Amino acid sequence: MGETEDEPLSLNLFQDLIKEWDTDHVQNNYDPTEILHKMADILEKETNVYMASDPDPFEERHPSRVDPECQLGLLLKAYFKKESLVQEVFNHYMKENYFTRAGLDQSSFNLNVSACRLVLDILPGLEIGVLNDTDGLISQLYKWVSGKLEPLCSYATGLLAVAMELNEVATEAEIREKNSKLVPEMLARLRELQDEAEKERDQARSDRFKRPFALFSKSPLKNPRRLSAEGGKDQDGELVLGAGGKKETGGGGGCKKALERSGSGTLAPGWPNGIMSPPRSSTENSSSSWAEMELNVIGHFEIFPVSLQASQIFILRLLTPLAEYQDFLSLTQGSRILEVLERYINVRETRDARLAFEALKLLASLFCHKKFTLEWVATGGLSLLMQMPRPSMAATGSSLCLYYLACDDDTMEKICSLPPHTLQDLVKYCLWLLECSHETGRQYSIMFFGLAFPFRTILDIFDASDGLRKLYNTISTLSIISDRDDDRDSMSDDQEFMQRQSVRYTTQSLKKYVEAHLAIRVEEEISSDLTRAGGSPQPPHPSYKPYRLEQEQVTEHIFTLLELMNYRGRWEPIDRLIKLGGIQLLLQVIALSYDWTYAGRAETVKCGLDVLAVCSVIPRVQLALCEKFDLPDESAVGINIVLGTAEGEIVPDSPEVQRAALLVLCHLLCGPVVRPGCVKHTATPTPSKRRGGSDRVKSSDEVINKVWECVRANNGIMALLQLMQTKAPLTDADSIRALACRALVGLARSSTATQIMSKLPIFNNGVLNMLLREPVLQDKRAEHVKFQKHAHELIEKVSGPMSRKNYENNDITLDMLHRASVVANTRIRYNNKQLLQLMHEHLVLSGLNKTAEVLKNESDFVPLVDSSGGSVPPVYPVRSMISFHPSHLNRRMISSPTPSRPISTPSRQITSIPSSRPNHTATSRQQVTTPTRPLPTTNTNRSTTSTSIPIRVNRPTRTSVPTTPTPATRSAMKTMDASDQSTSKALEQVGDTKHEVSLGSIVSDFLSSQHALCRNPMTTCPEFDLLLPHKCPDQRSRRAAPLNFTSRYSKKSLFPPYGGPDGSKLDRKLVYSRFRPVKSFRAGGDDREENVFTSCAFSGDSQFLFAGTYMGDVKMYNLQSSEETTYQCHDSYVYHVQPSRDSKLVITSSSWRTPYSKLWSVGDFFDEKKQFKDEEYLEFSCNVQDKVVGTQSDAVATIYDLHTGQLSRTLKPTSSNGYSRNRATFDPTDDLILSDGVLWDYRAPRQIHKFDKLNQTLSGVFHPNGLEIISNTEVWDIRTFHLLRTVPQLDQCQIVFNSGGEVIFGLNLEQELEDETKFETAFKTFDASDYSLIATIETKKSVLGLCSSWDDQSLAVVEQGNGECVESAVRMYDVGRLRAEEEDQEDDGEDEDGGPDDDDSDGSSDGMGGGDDNDDEWGFPIPLFSDGEDLSGSGSGTPSEDDLDDPDDEVDADEVEDLDDDDGGTIADDDDSWEDIEVEEEVGGD
């Protein structure tokens, strides 16, 4: 860019001119015309130098941003720094009365010319809004244009063209009126100038042979360049150079790199000295020079003195922005503007690429109107667009015209009707633009293909020309996708933005490409399927008609293809994309876009996902998404990236992207298990051709099982469940829920996933029911209906089939569905003789005595009534012990008979049984008269036959049985005749309106409806009794230990050792619901308020208590003497302290500064044994404490041998769960290790299993029984890796077991708020055998940590005050003892009552009892320790109204009202804090 040694830099000359102006312009009578022309000369010279570097012709950025070393950019910066000069030019020098206002009798014409010329030269760095902001400037420009005085007219036209680019200027009413007059004048003048230029070219041709060296003339217009005798243009329009006939195939940027700008030399301004021919492969053999090629490649025009070329360009620029408006159409009538533009675009004749480029821009604006696009194609203008010199500005401009042509479907249909060779030329030309043009030319050609792919004619030629590879290369070669960090870091912001735009447009085009092929393939598959079925194939889709698919159609087509396409069938376009590496590239684009921040990111990711959605039809793609691939900084699994995108991690706040990702998951998860052309569980799979080698081609069921497993392994269940409950964004939440639920339905076909989901609380706690009731947004009810449909499918997958009629009932829980499933699978059997007895009774009461007598004689049964209507005691079958309960006999109610037809007064009383459920009407007979008090059971009649007759009792009279059962009672039951059929078929028969009704089916339905009312129905039942209500036995055994402690204790001698089954469990509930504070330890010293306690632990000999502090100290308290000793262990707070069982070693862990963990020996002092620099958490092994396991970042676990102090194992999982509070731990046998949700075998070492991630925080701990893992609320079985249950009360709780492993202490984790950290003021106790909640102990202070003593008699709790009082203490509690004031209250209660309580409250009715609100065996809550244990293992439960009103319960509902006053959750309800208790001993402090 430098100048010659004799000539200074242009920047220096320009700055000297600015200084000169700054000095002289304040003088009176100053004329700046000359100095402005000098400035313009320098600017124009450097503009030509800049244009010779062949920048993008559509470039609108400042030249300094394109090339930081560009002299033009430096000149513009220097000019705009002088604000006074800028203001003076716009506000004064462009006024036609400048000298007149200064009192001089002088014309301002020359000054106006110089000022306009200068403004035209500074346009690359000018904010064009200044033209509109300058008062009167637009009107002045119109005045100069209408004056037609050159060169001012042309300059004003050029400036007016810039102003018209502003929409607010062009649409102003006054401006529109002026333009309506100006445009026809400009069109006429343009034709005149064109004719004049044509005459000049003709004259030049005649002089060609007279002046053989005119080729090197200075003026570009007076000598048309010609190609060498050996050169020419080939059939594709490419420029052929040199004697060797080699043609130019390099990009347009080749000229840019080849130029050497070494000064102006002796050429005219704007023609730099030393410009040489661009280096090419045939440079030494070519007779063509850059001087010859320059006009064809970049063009050239001189502003001063204004030339014909410049005047035409200014007019074209003015018409370009105006041509987009509808008003322009009426102004072009009769102007034959397309003919004018055809002459400009024909570069073979004009030999001017710059003029052709401006004409192409105007043509593109005209293509906004369908009239011009259709006319252009009809007149053969398409071929003219493909005849541009390659490379050149005109070729780049033609790409814009092609893009505008493709925007109109009618025009594209007309193009598709052109001869095949024309279409081939078109596709080849656009493919050349993809590789060789400027950046904008490549982007316009990419967008052209995106719009043209729906047309099969273009698509087929594109595939035949290897277009997919060239389209793929437009992004695969970009630095922004490169694996090398240096390539990405070396890019400027502008380069990065341009490359991101390229990625955006390419993914859009790829989406259109695969969707067009999808539509074509689906059409073919459907036709083939119809042909195979003997039908007529569909009529073919016209090749010139586009394949336009909406998103729902795309989804439907994909599932259609999954159903019809052969599993091993070939799909050539997708296979080529896979072979090119397109799947990995798209995943890489999606993953890298996480760091991109620009407006098109969401669209880029969405289009990439849409391409993957179509490609997911191919099994190879499904398998590829389950494998890892390398990213620049890490490796990732494709499914994991898709799941992260669905959760909104890649592109936040973009529901369109989330839906696209969920659709990919739906296609992967919901496809058919067995696809056409594939046999399930094939015995001899064929070898795979995939890279990777050893794997075999899998059958379709194996592939989809691998997909299911991969989604689970990447925490898909948790992610989809969270999305199914989303409420944001408001307008799209319903659609996201529906898609997430649909994906879960597909995943639920996996038995492992179904087992896990069946235990999750969302299916039991009513949350799903709440989601099903109302949409998030009422306007999206259609999406909510889809969600409801998929949710019911999901519930059916998880819990078993159910009737479609139940879809109307949204209040469905997993427990209800489980009971319905049990009832549906129960075989209904009953005694036929009992049915005959009922038939006989009905006949007698109906007055059909003869018929009844015939039935009696033929069947030989004991009648329920005699022929006169008198009652006969029925025979009760002794064998039906399940249906019979003695309480049924004394609950019969007397009622008056209601016969169906008048009969004589009956001699026996008729009773009816009240329903056990208030809402149950289907299973109870019609009620008759008002029931009276119960009567004792008596034998009113006995048979005197010789045979032994069993005891008979009075039975209630039944009225007529309804002939048609209600739908509610038939929704989940089987008939006797269909008991061996599958449940689903039985349900279909139930829902069939043509179902045959018989007496047997009516009886079976009646008995099934009774069975459905059982709280714990059983699948295998003995014969049902038709004469008594049916009830399955409760879970609780009658021989179980009494709930009352006194009764239980008295029975210990009879049923050792605990007074009966579950006695130990009841004892634990009693003991671990009572905690009495006995001692407090407070820190001493001046910093006691800041140095709060953070953790605690008992020593192995129970002689000392260790307490970690916020400032990194560990304080050791002697429990006997309360002596305090302080040791400085870390520089930040100690959140973990663990002594060994022999009290010789202590582990401390901190989280801020390295080393994070340390091992200490304990004697007279703390001696540091070893530092663990990267282990954020450390703990001893469990069985033999000869090793420690540490937790590092990135889910890495390390094991150290304490004897040698050496690292023995490093466990790094293949894929981690990323728990925020991961803590590696040993199992009780020291053979297994759990770290970040991954189970390891320490002995191997090898990864055994990765548990599904269902929470974000806690990795989990081993249960002391060694058979279970507790991870937040989930309890996993180590033997089967099944999810056993969920315990909602353990949510976000740190778990600490007592020494015996029988009780769990749950401590809520801290909550990170914006300005503080909040802790819960209570801890919970759980029974470790069934995870039932024992109690919630309120401390009134924040609980930071706790630990149990080795003998389980004491509990240490780290407490911190709230509010103004932030005092910290470690408080000791005695386990199993009431507080002092509670004991006093209990004693007072005994005195008032005259003795101990005789109810089943265990003295816990004051509220200190457990927080277990579980149902007892009768279905209502009783205070702790009189309550039955929760055998379900859920630790929760609330009684229903039906339970409270059940007449079979042995306790009346009014008793529940008395018991509801008890506190079910805490042991401290008074306002007094425990530190106020006088008996408590305080240790430490001042």
Side-chain angles (χ1 to χ4, degrees), residues 14 78 164 183 191 299 672 982 989 1001 1004 1033 1163 1201 1283 1325 1442:
F14 196 77
M164 290 302 108
V183 169
R191 182 176 289 275
S982 65
Q989 292 177 1
S1001 66
S1004 297
D1201 191 321
L1283 181 62
T1325 54
D1442 296 341

Side-chain angles (χ1 to χ4, degrees), residues 842-912:
H842 178 70
L843 292 173
V844 170
L845 295 178
S846 301
L848 305 175
N849 293 326
K850 293 183 179 180
T851 307
E853 189 67 24
V854 173
L855 177 64
K856 175 184 175 183
N857 295 333
E858 291 183 354
S859 301
D860 189 19
F861 59 84
V862 178
L864 300 178
V865 293
D866 54 20
S867 58
S868 63
S871 63
V872 177
V875 178
Y876 183 79
V878 180
R879 66 181 180 275
S880 185
M881 293 304 297
I882 287 184
S883 297
F884 172 73
H885 191 280
S887 62
H888 296 158
L889 300 180
N890 57 14
R891 292 184 181 185
R892 310 232 174 154
M893 311 299 289
I894 304 299
S895 60
S896 300
T898 309
S900 59
R901 45 185 297 188
I903 58 175
S904 58
T905 304
S907 61
R908 74 180 183 94
Q909 295 173 329
I910 302 175
T911 61
S912 64

Side-chain angles (χ1 to χ4, degrees), residues 419-453:
H421 67 86
T422 303
L423 296 178
Q424 291 176 2
D425 292 343
L426 173 63
V427 173
K428 289 181 180 179
Y429 180 72
C430 292
L431 289 175
W432 175 86
L433 288 172
L434 278 180
E435 296 181 319
C436 302
S437 65
H438 296 94
E439 184 67 32
T440 52
R442 289 193 290 270
Q443 292 183 5
Y444 284 129
S445 59
I446 292 171
M447 290 189 288
F448 166 80
F449 280 122
L451 295 171
F453 282 145

